[in-house]
């Protein structure tokens, strides 16, 4: 197994494997409200790359623990960067890697998910919130706009009115509003949000991995591709899966009234 997946901490995050096939990343800079400095983004991207490369790893949960998800980019670090630094900074590459992670990414959010923290949530596929969660894009108050894809993902996820309100006012919304906006699928007590995310990840870890990967990519196409192209790509993916072991096994198991034995192939 890749060292990046062993239980422990490379520095700004904690990595654990709390259930078969599940990797859990806990953002861990409590003194800075889990601000996403470059080192933390790099560690997240490296852990996701290791999880992608390991066939036994089927889903990833990302959380900030019970107190705070993440208060955004590290403002102290940002203060040192000029326009060219921002443009060429390795952060861009880490954000791209997070957004392109092909296996399910489930976020469990307690406390603040602000700025880059909210943008990280918007890169997740399924989001569970604790009742204490607050989602916001306060960059406007710093004379900026969200820089890690938050505006586009928020508008596509929550619609124009909610995106305008959050991005223009900078005011956070609570967990119930995020549920109504479609950012979150479920609101639980703070202690339960992480265990629910792990439960969901465990369920996904038991699904046929190839179909799961195609399904995630297909849902994301709905946000990125004109309808006719997206439908054509879905049909190709549907046909491709007919060649997989797991599709034939899933059908055979149903017809033989027995549990399927998926191999991920
Ligand atoms: N960057 C760096 N340090 C941060 C930080 C951030 N985003 N957010 C909090 N911290 C630090 C504080 O400076 C403070 O450090 P010290 O103890 O050394 O002074 C420590 O974390 C605790 O912060 P507070 O005392 O402010 O904690 P609080 O509980 O009273 O408030 C908070 C929490 C509401 C999250 C508040 O800290 C806050 O508003 N943080 C900034 C949020 C923000 O503006 N985020 C957007 C960043 S820009 C961005 O993300 C760009 C992008 O698109 C990628």
């Amino acid at each position: 197994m890749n060292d990046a997946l062993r239980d422990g901490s490379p520095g700004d995050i904690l990595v654990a494997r709390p259930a078969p096939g599940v990797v859990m990343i806990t953002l861990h800079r409590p003194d800075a409200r889990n601000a996403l400095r470059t080192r933390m983004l790099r560690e997240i991207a490296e852990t996701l790359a290791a999880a992608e490369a390991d066939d036994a790893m089927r889903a990833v949960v990302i959380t900030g623990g019970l107190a705070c998800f993440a208060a955004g980019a590290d403002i102290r670090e940002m203060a040192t960067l000029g326009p060219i630094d921002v443009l060429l900074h390795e952060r861009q590459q880490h954000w791209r890697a997070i957004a392109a992670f092909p296996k399910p990414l489930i976020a469990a959010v307690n406390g603040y998910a602000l700025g880059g923290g909210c943008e990280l949530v918007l890169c997740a596929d399924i989001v569970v919130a604790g009742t204490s969660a607050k989602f916001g894009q306060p960059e406007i108050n710093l004379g900026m706009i969200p820089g890690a894809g938050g505006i586009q993902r928020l508008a596509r996820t929550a619609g124009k009115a909610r995106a305008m309100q959050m991005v223009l006012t900078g005011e956070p919304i609570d967990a119930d509003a995020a549920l109504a906006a479609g950012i979150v699928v479920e609101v639980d007590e703070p202690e339960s949000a992480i265990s629910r995310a792990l439960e969901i990840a465990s369920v996904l870890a038991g699904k046929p991995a190839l179909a799961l990967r195609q399904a995630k990519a297909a849902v994301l196409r709905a946000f990125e591709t004109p309808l006719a192209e997206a439908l054509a790509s879905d049909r190709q993916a549907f046909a491709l899966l007919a060649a997989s072991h797991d599709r034939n096994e899933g059908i055979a198991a149903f017809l033989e009234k027995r549990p399927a034995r998926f191999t991920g192939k």
Side-chain angles (χ1 to χ4, degrees), residues 132-236:
S132 65
K134 295 230 183 305
F135 301 83
Q137 299 290 170
E139 287 89 344
I140 197 78
N141 299 323
L142 300 168
M144 300 190 293
I145 62 171
I151 295 182
Q152 303 311 321
R153 290 199 178 91
L154 191 58
R156 284 163 170 76
T157 304
K160 176 183 168 186
R162 185 54 98 180
M164 284 290 187
Q165 182 236 339
M166 288 175 70
V167 173
L168 270 51
T169 70
E171 282 167 18
I173 61 170
D174 66 15
D176 286 334
L179 182 68
I183 297 169
V184 158
V185 290
E186 195 175 308
V187 179
D188 292 299
E189 289 308 311
E191 311 77 51
S192 310
I194 297 173
S195 52
R196 270 298 290 145
L198 288 171
E199 258 173 53
I200 294 169
S202 285
V203 168
L204 297 184
K207 302 283 183 202
L210 269 181
L212 208 54
R213 196 179 173 117
Q214 293 289 344
K216 170 170 174 167
V219 174
L220 290 176
R221 275 198 290 277
F223 294 92
E224 291 163 4
T225 317
L227 182 62
E229 266 176 49
L231 290 172
S233 298
D234 287 3
R235 273 195 302 277
Q236 282 183 8

Side-chain angles (χ1 to χ4, degrees), residues 77-166:
E77 189 182 69
M78 258 184 350
T80 64
L81 303 177
I84 302 302
D85 306 319
V86 171
L87 201 64
L88 301 178
H89 205 277
E90 65 165 281
R91 298 177 64 85
Q92 315 293 339
Q93 161 198 333
H94 301 321
W95 278 112
R96 275 197 301 275
I98 293 167
F101 181 59
K103 297 180 182 180
L105 180 63
I106 297 136
V109 183
N110 289 307
Y112 286 108
L114 300 181
C118 191
E119 294 176 290
L120 183 54
V121 168
L122 290 162
C123 288
D125 305 310
I126 298 176
V127 184
V128 179
T131 48
S132 65
K134 295 230 183 305
F135 301 83
Q137 299 290 170
E139 287 89 344
I140 197 78
N141 299 323
L142 300 168
M144 300 190 293
I145 62 171
I151 295 182
Q152 303 311 321
R153 290 199 178 91
L154 191 58
R156 284 163 170 76
T157 304
K160 176 183 168 186
R162 185 54 98 180
M164 284 290 187
Q165 182 236 339
M166 288 175 70

